[in-house]
Amino acid sequence: MKAISVFPGKPNSAHLAELPKPSLDQVSNGRGVLVKVLRVGVDGTDKEINAAEYGAAPPGYDFLVTGHEGFGQVEAVGPNVGELKPGDYVVATVRRPGKSIYDLIGTNDMTTDDTYYERGINLLHGFLTEYYVDDAEFIVKIPQGLKQVGVVLEPLTVAEKGIYQAYEIQRRLRVWRPRKAAVMGAGTIGLLATLVLRLRGLGVTTFGRTPKPYLNSELIEELGARYFSTKELSILDGSKQCGPFDIIFEATGNSTVVFESMRALGKNGVLVLSSVTGGNNMIQVPADQINLEFVLGNKVMVGTVNANREYFELGVRDMAEAESEYPGWLGKLLTDPVKGLDNYQQLFEKLTKPGGAIKVFCQVAEF
């Protein structure tokens, strides 16, 4: 079967590879699930892996099948799988357990292992192929009514985990009823974080670079949130106008914005960092003032990466609520389909030159 792959460590090495179709007996204890891949979303992670910034091939291979935002349909299940059946629509989680205590209790997204295993990212093949097989433990069912937007679930879990963790941390305050939130970044994750916070009943102000009107700003305002371009209003001025912010969700990939967000955060607030900054950016910051405001204001800053099954299941519930509260909104994120694995070059071209794309995805098979 076909698979879109890269040679880790070799820039711009995306190519079509051939793999044998997987079988249920590759998973022990009769818990295997064979999935036909229907759609796979691609994002900055896939672009960075193709640029040889990180990623490693599975043992025994010199290539890595990319794609971690999979959506598919169950074709067969092992004899000990009762929660899924052929025909079900599903999404697989990304990270697999290592050896730390956190891995052993089902929170492999919090691993302390130096080596981690993620499908399509590190040491495990991903989903940009025709079929995959995995343990039922890592397969999450998508209701029939959500099948057209099911490919959005994996990126949604980034927002779900970060916001859930913010609420968990704030239990320290005994009584915490956040009213105002800010989202830094109006890309896919920023849009989804805005959605989740609106579903939680918060007033949301989302900051992006592009002046409105454009599709992303329109989608944000459809949710009843505010949108500001940082070219027209600074984050600090926006905080004075719309804050104080009880939660700030940062999703820009820009470390300068991180430090500006620290200053925009309200007292007893929590700042969630979800973007990865891999460069060597050097900036000047008012370090003493930031430190003073965090100490005297009882503020918290936390990083979040990946998601375990709990957040995938939470995401399914929020997707269902979103389709009820904001009908058709999730589908508007699916701006750029690319038909067929053979067109992998077009897929990566859209990633490197997005041209206004929100979610680029490969339509591997029809459904």
Side-chain angles (χ1 to χ4, degrees):
M1 64 180 186
K2 298 176 183 177
I4 299 176
S5 308
V6 300
F7 296 113
K10 182 179 179 181
N12 303 313
S13 62
H15 65 283
L16 274 185
E18 284 289 332
L19 286 171
K21 182 178 177 179
S23 58
L24 292 174
D25 58 13
Q26 291 175 228
V27 178
S28 62
N29 302 321
R31 294 281 294 163
V33 179
L34 178 64
V35 177
K36 179 180 180 180
V37 178
L38 301 175
R39 286 177 172 175
V40 182
V42 293
D43 65 4
T45 298
D46 301 288
K47 180 175 69 174
E48 289 154 9
I49 290 173
N50 188 42
E53 294 181 21
Y54 51 84
Y61 293 87
D62 63 353
F63 63 86
L64 170 70
V65 177
T66 58
H68 56 282
E69 300 178 6
F71 168 75
Q73 189 169 28
V74 176
E75 188 164 282
V77 299
N80 295 327
V81 177
E83 62 267 48
L84 295 167
K85 66 183 187 303
D88 285 345
Y89 293 101
V90 293
V91 167
T93 63
V94 180
R95 185 166 287 187
R96 295 293 173 269
K99 298 178 181 179
S100 78
I101 183 64
Y102 303 101
D103 295 278
L104 298 177
I105 63 172
T107 56
N108 41 67
D109 54 319
M110 305 293 249
T111 188
T112 53
D113 290 350
D114 290 330
T115 300
Y116 59 90
Y117 301 85
E118 289 182 334
R119 297 206 63 153
I121 300 174
N122 203 56
L123 297 172
L124 292 173
H125 285 319
F127 305 123
L128 271 169
T129 184
E130 296 176 77
Y131 291 89
Y132 69 86
V133 70
D134 213 331
D135 192 300
E137 176 65 23
F138 308 115
I139 305 289
V140 178
K141 184 177 177 179
I142 300 292
Q144 289 269 344
L146 295 176
K147 65 182 181 181
Q148 293 298 333
V149 294
V151 74
V152 178
L153 179 57
E154 195 282 335
L156 176 60
T157 63
V158 176
E160 295 286 1
K161 178 183 176 182
I163 293 166
Y164 181 92
Q165 290 291 325
Y167 277 83
E168 282 290 285
I169 289 166
Q170 296 301 72
R171 289 171 61 184
R172 69 198 174 107
L173 298 174
R174 307 297 177 92
V175 177
W176 189 64
R177 295 186 179 92
R179 295 179 180 178
K180 297 181 179 181
V183 175
M184 303 303 171
T188 305
I189 301 301
L191 287 164
L192 292 170
T194 301
L195 170 67
V196 173
L197 289 164
R198 289 294 294 138
L199 292 175
R200 301 293 183 271
L202 279 74
V204 183
T205 303
T206 300
F207 294 86
R209 287 181 297 180
T210 305
K212 65 177 186 180
Y214 75 119
L215 178 58
N216 302 51
S217 68
E218 292 168 0
L219 288 169
I220 286 163
E221 291 177 344
E222 282 182 24
L223 297 174
R226 297 185 184 93
Y227 175 82
F228 290 109
S229 165
T230 52
K231 293 181 179 178
E232 300 172 343
L233 182 72
S234 72
I235 291 171
L236 283 178
D237 286 341
S239 175
K240 294 173 185 176
Q241 181 174 324
C242 305
F245 297 125
D246 303 300
I247 301 177
I248 297 180
F249 190 99
E250 191 283 321
T252 65
N254 186 322
S255 57
T256 300
V257 174
V258 172
F259 286 95
E260 292 176 353
S261 299
M262 292 181 193
R263 300 190 64 194
L265 188 65
K267 291 181 179 179
N268 288 352
V270 56
L271 168 60
V272 180
L273 307 181
S274 71
S275 62
V276 176
T277 50
N280 296 299
N281 190 28
M282 302 289 287
I283 60 172
Q284 288 185 321
V285 298
D288 287 345
Q289 185 176 352
I290 291 172
N291 179 72
L292 182 69
E293 290 173 354
F294 259 74
V295 172
L296 298 186
N298 292 300
K299 302 179 185 183
V300 173
M301 180 169 61
V302 61
T304 179
V305 66
N306 206 275
N308 64 43
R309 184 185 182 94
E310 174 183 11
Y311 305 112
F312 278 76
E313 293 174 343
L314 180 58
V316 171
R317 293 194 292 271
D318 275 350
M319 288 173 71
E321 184 178 349
E323 285 294 271
S324 175
E325 187 73 14
Y326 309 106
W329 189 89
L330 283 169
K332 295 177 184 177
L333 303 182
L334 301 175
T335 54
D336 285 65
V338 173
K339 190 172 182 179
L341 295 169
D342 291 328
N343 291 316
Y344 65 92
Q345 290 179 326
Q346 183 182 353
L347 202 63
F348 283 97
E349 285 170 5
K350 285 181 175 289
L351 279 179
T352 54
K353 299 177 181 179
I358 295 176
K359 175 47 62 182
V360 180
F361 66 96
C362 183
Q363 184 77 42
V364 180
E366 299 299 329
F367 61 99

